[in-house]
Amino acid sequence: MPRLRPPSPEEIRERRRALHEDIEAGGLPVADAVRRMREALGMTQADFARAFRLTERQVWEIEAGKANPTLATLNRIGKPFGFQAGLVLLHPRRHDPTS
C-alpha cells in the first residue's frame, strides 16, 4: 500500500478544528474519533501505534469498532487534542433532570 502524503500544517489545523466541532456536537463514535485523530496527525496505523504505545492490531480494532479500549488508552490518545474520556449524555435533548 502506498504511503499517504503527509498533511500540510493547514490541513492538520483544519482536520483538528473539524474534529473538535464534531465531538462538541456529540454523536461521534470512539472508532471514528480515533481514526480522525490519527488522520489529523497524518499517521499510518503503524505510526500511530508506535506513538501511543499500542499494537497495530489494537489500532485497527479500535478504528473498526471491535475493541473496548481502557480509559487510560483513550486518555493517552486524546491528550494531544485536549480530550479526556468521560461520561457523556447519549441524548442530551431528551434528558430532563426534573422529570
Side-chain angles (χ1 to χ4, degrees):
M1 176 176 212
R3 292 194 61 91
L4 298 174
R5 172 187 62 81
S8 70
E10 294 80 26
E11 289 172 318
I12 290 172
R13 278 192 296 277
E14 175 55 27
R15 289 176 184 178
R16 289 175 70 120
R17 185 200 58 72
L19 177 63
H20 274 265
E21 284 180 5
D22 290 346
I23 287 177
E24 286 177 6
L28 189 62
V30 169
D32 293 341
V34 171
R35 178 187 46 79
R36 288 181 57 188
M37 285 180 212
R38 178 181 61 78
E39 290 173 348
L41 295 171
M43 294 179 156
T44 65
Q45 287 183 339
D47 295 335
F48 194 80
R50 277 189 298 279
F52 291 98
R53 301 184 322 269
L54 301 167
T55 66
E56 287 182 57
R57 172 116 187 170
Q58 285 174 304
V59 174
W60 178 85
E61 287 178 347
I62 292 169
E63 290 185 4
K66 298 181 182 294
N68 189 14
T70 65
L71 284 175
T73 297
L74 291 175
N75 285 331
R76 191 168 63 240
I77 292 169
K79 187 175 182 177
F81 291 86
F83 298 135
Q84 177 179 324
L87 299 174
V88 178
L89 285 173
L90 293 176
H91 306 287
R93 290 193 174 96
R94 288 192 240 163
H95 178 71
D96 181 2
T98 62
S99 59

